[in-house]
């Protein structure tokens, strides 16, 4: 995949066979798809339900892979860099130093930048359009869009529709995809503890509270986001509040939403009466289920779908993304019901070569990380296998809305 900063290659630019592509959802995945298609001279119309591009502020951590994908488009969103991870469980600690820093980004700045670049490339963004349903006939898909401000509806026909409308995608459901499983993510913005460096993320494994983990991610020298992923929304919030008290941290604001759970690859393309619908980002569960990060994988899903539209179906990016997401699923299955003893053993097992592998490779290179860590510390293979055999299946059932 070429970065947006690189000149496009010299082969002729393909376009879809007829008319504009409609993208529903003007957030990271939808806007990046729109940008890539518009840059290849495909007419694109984005329909976003919000009356303005003004997404809620949200602090996110991504790997440096975001820079490879977005180049300069992502730069305005970067607010901090992370060079170390500190892992804690049951009185034990391990530190992983990253060879290349992770990035802390502000989601609203990312979306503003993507919208600006998509428009400059020629995409049209129609705001205040709430997708209500679709009709497919004679090779066209007609979208019904509610305009709340005018108390009216409008229709828009396209041969190709891209759903970037998030975890409870209405477009996906209208086109016949099953509803995604989701889990609650809650985080509080807190003043950064005095003993904490702004280039370090803290992670706590507390299996009594969550099969995932707590994190504290600094967005600056003054503030950070402390959060967790849970299985039941009200309990996740209760655990977060208790954890804040335990750590003596005062929440400034809370952020939260439901995150899709990747339990298997979701085929991203469906033909409907001669037209086509594609899913990108959270709408296609393109979330790394080991850590529940969805920005980089959603952008890769967007790049893959753009590649498939421009290339007439095939996409290497989508094949690679599927392999990556499946690796994260394997890791999640291995760890999902880890006990406190398992986490203690895990942290104790992180010998120097295993830490070195974790330093070298990012969370967006799951296969390399898994392979190198297991070669360095074969005990982890046994722990992982035991997790998969004893608890792996319970993961797929967890997290229903
Ligand atoms: C609190 C929180 C913290 C997170 N932290 C991280 C992190 O640190 N790192 C990371 O990688 N990921 C993180 N994630 C996940 C990440 O934010 C998502 O995976 C990503 O934003 C999904 O992007 P998207 O474009 O697919 O969907 P969304 O960002 O959900 O966008 C969907 C868009 O579609 C629009 N829409 C929805 N329905 C309609 C409709 N009917 N008609 C028209 N428009 C519609 C919405 O208004 C929205 O603009 C976090 C998520 C949350 C909630």
């Amino acid at each position: 995949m070429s970065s947006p900063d690189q000149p496009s290659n010299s082969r002729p630019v393909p376009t879809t066979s007829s008319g504009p592509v409609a993208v529903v959802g003007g957030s990271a995945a939808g806007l990046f798809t729109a940008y890539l298609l518009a840059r290849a001279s495909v007419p694109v119309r984005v329909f976003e339900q919000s009356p303005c591009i003004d997404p809620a502020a949200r602090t996110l951590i991504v790997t440096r892979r975001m820079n490879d994908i977005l180049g300069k488009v992502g730069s305005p969103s970067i607010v901090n860099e992370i060079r170390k991870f500190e892992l804690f469980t049951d009185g034990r600690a391990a530190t992983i130093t990253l060879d290349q820093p992770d990035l802390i980004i502000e989601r609203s700045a990312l979306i503003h930048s993507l919208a600006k670049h998509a428009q400059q490339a020629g995409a049209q963004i129609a705001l205040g359009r709430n997708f209500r349903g679709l009709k497919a006939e004679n090779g066209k898909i007609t979208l019904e869009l509610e305009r709340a401000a005018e108390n009216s509806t409008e229709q828009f026909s396209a041969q190709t529709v891209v759903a970037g409308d998030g975890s409870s995608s209405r477009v996906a459901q209208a086109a016949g995809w099953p509803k995604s499983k989701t889990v609650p993510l809650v985080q509080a913005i807190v003043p950064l503890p005095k003993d904490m460096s702004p280039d370090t993320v803290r992670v706590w494994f507390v299996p009594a509270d969550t099969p995932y983990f707590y994190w504290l991610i600094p967005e600056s020298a003054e503030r950070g986001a402390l959060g967790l992923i849970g299985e039941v929304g009200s309990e996740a919030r209760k655990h977060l509040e208790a954890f804040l008290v335990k750590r003596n941290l005062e929440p400034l604001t809370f952020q939260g939403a439901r995150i899709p759970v990747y339990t298997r690859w979701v085929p991203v393309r469906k033909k409907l009466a001669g037209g086509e619908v594609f899913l990108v980002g959270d709408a296609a569960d393109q979330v790394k289920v080991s850590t529940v990060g969805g920005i980089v994988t959603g952008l890769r899903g967007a790049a893959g779908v753009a590649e498939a539209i421009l290339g007439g179906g095939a996409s290497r990016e989508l094949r690679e993304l599927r392999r990556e997401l499946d690796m994260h699923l394997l890791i999640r299955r291995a760890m999902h019901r880890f006990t406190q003893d398992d986490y203690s053993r895990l942290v104790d097992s992180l010998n120097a070569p295993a830490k070195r592998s974790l330093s070298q490779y990012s969370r967006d290179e799951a296969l390399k990380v898994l392979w190198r860590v297991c070669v360095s510390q074969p005990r982890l293979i046994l722990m992982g296998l035991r997790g998969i055999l004893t608890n792996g299946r319970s993961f797929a059932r967890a997290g229903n809305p």
Side-chain angles (χ1 to χ4, degrees), residues 18-84:
S18 72
V21 171
V23 176
V24 180
S27 183
L31 288 170
F32 190 47
T33 316
Y35 167 73
L36 293 173
L37 293 174
R39 200 179 62 159
S41 305
V42 174
V44 186
R45 193 74 88 80
V46 180
F47 297 102
E48 165 57 42
Q49 67 183 357
S50 305
C52 52
I53 300 275
D54 189 20
R58 196 187 284 170
T59 308
L60 309 170
I61 183 165
V62 296
T63 67
R64 56 193 175 269
R65 184 77 183 263
M66 187 193 82
N67 276 346
D68 303 336
I69 299 171
L70 290 184
K72 262 204 300 226
V73 178
S75 309
S77 67
I78 300 172
V79 294
N80 190 17
E81 291 191 347
I82 297 300
R83 290 171 192 280
K84 255 190 250 161

Side-chain angles (χ1 to χ4, degrees), residues 209-229:
D209 292 359
T210 170
Y212 297 84
F213 46 85
Y214 288 94
W215 59 82
L216 175 51
I217 301 173
E219 60 180 34
S220 67
E222 289 79 39
R223 287 159 38 125
L226 177 79
L228 86 155
I229 303 141

Side-chain angles (χ1 to χ4, degrees), residues 268-340:
V268 299
R269 180 188 194 195
K270 205 177 262 259
K271 289 201 173 207
L272 287 187
E276 287 184 311
V277 180
F278 291 87
L279 307 184
V280 292
D282 276 14
D285 300 352
Q286 288 163 350
V287 169
K288 295 186 288 270
V289 77
S290 56
T291 56
V292 199
I295 290 289
V296 167
T297 39
L299 293 172
R300 290 182 65 186
V305 161
E307 193 175 50
I309 292 172
L310 297 170
S315 164
R316 188 174 156 190
E317 184 64 42
L318 287 174
R319 280 197 302 276
E320 287 175 2
L321 176 61
R322 179 179 185 165
R323 265 203 300 276
E324 180 73 24
L325 291 170
D326 284 345
M327 274 296 132
H328 287 276
L329 179 58
L330 188 68
I331 297 171
R332 171 63 28 217
R333 285 200 164 131
M335 295 180 64
H336 198 65
R337 295 286 171 218
F338 261 22
T339 61
Q340 186 59 70

Side-chain angles (χ1 to χ4, degrees), residues 15-273:
T15 57
T16 56
S17 50
S18 72
V21 171
V23 176
V24 180
S27 183
L31 288 170
F32 190 47
T33 316
Y35 167 73
L36 293 173
L37 293 174
R39 200 179 62 159
S41 305
V42 174
V44 186
R45 193 74 88 80
V46 180
F47 297 102
E48 165 57 42
Q49 67 183 357
S50 305
C52 52
I53 300 275
D54 189 20
R58 196 187 284 170
T59 308
L60 309 170
I61 183 165
V62 296
T63 67
R64 56 193 175 269
R65 184 77 183 263
M66 187 193 82
N67 276 346
D68 303 336
I69 299 171
L70 290 184
K72 262 204 300 226
V73 178
S75 309
S77 67
I78 300 172
V79 294
N80 190 17
E81 291 191 347
I82 297 300
R83 290 171 192 280
K84 255 190 250 161
F85 272 73
E86 292 175 348
L87 312 180
F88 299 98
T89 197
D90 200 25
R92 293 164 160 83
T95 302
I96 314 285
T97 306
L98 305 181
D99 285 3
Q100 291 190 56
D102 272 3
L103 309 172
I104 304 297
I105 60 166
E106 177 39 59
R107 174 174 171 261
S108 57
L110 175 69
I111 292 170
H112 275 288
S113 180
L114 282 165
K116 186 179 101 186
H117 282 84
Q119 281 172 316
Q120 281 171 355
Q124 291 178 15
I125 301 179
L127 298 167
R129 306 308 201 275
N130 184 4
F131 169 85
R132 306 294 296 172
L134 58 79
K135 219 165 44 199
E137 48 195 12
N138 307 326
K140 287 266 181 218
I141 298 172
T142 303
L143 307 180
E144 190 183 311
L145 302 152
E146 181 186 64
R147 299 181 66 168
E150 286 86 8
N151 200 14
S152 64
T153 54
E154 70 180 38
Q155 299 199 326
F156 185 84
S157 293
Q159 196 190 22
T160 306
V161 173
V162 177
D165 54 339
S167 59
S168 43
S169 169
R170 243 191 202 168
V171 178
Q173 283 165 53
W177 271 275
K179 218 168 170 196
S180 298
K181 292 179 195 309
T182 58
V183 286
L185 187 159
V186 282
Q187 61 183 19
I189 302 300
V190 294
L192 209 61
K194 294 266 177 294
D195 67 337
M196 193 166 160
S197 159
D199 72 352
T200 302
V201 164
R202 286 187 176 164
V203 172
W204 292 266
F205 298 109
V206 187
D209 292 359
T210 170
Y212 297 84
F213 46 85
Y214 288 94
W215 59 82
L216 175 51
I217 301 173
E219 60 180 34
S220 67
E222 289 79 39
R223 287 159 38 125
L226 177 79
L228 86 155
I229 303 141
E231 290 185 303
V232 177
S234 53
E235 281 178 22
R237 176 70 184 243
K238 262 197 278 173
H239 286 312
L240 177 62
E241 286 174 5
F243 198 75
L244 285 163
V245 172
K246 210 155 94 189
R247 301 266 136 214
N248 202 15
L249 291 167
E250 197 59 46
L252 304 170
T253 54
F254 284 94
Q255 307 171 345
R258 295 199 72 92
I259 308 284
V261 177
Y262 179 88
T263 55
R264 71 198 176 298
W265 175 253
V266 176
V268 299
R269 180 188 194 195
K270 205 177 262 259
K271 289 201 173 207
L272 287 187

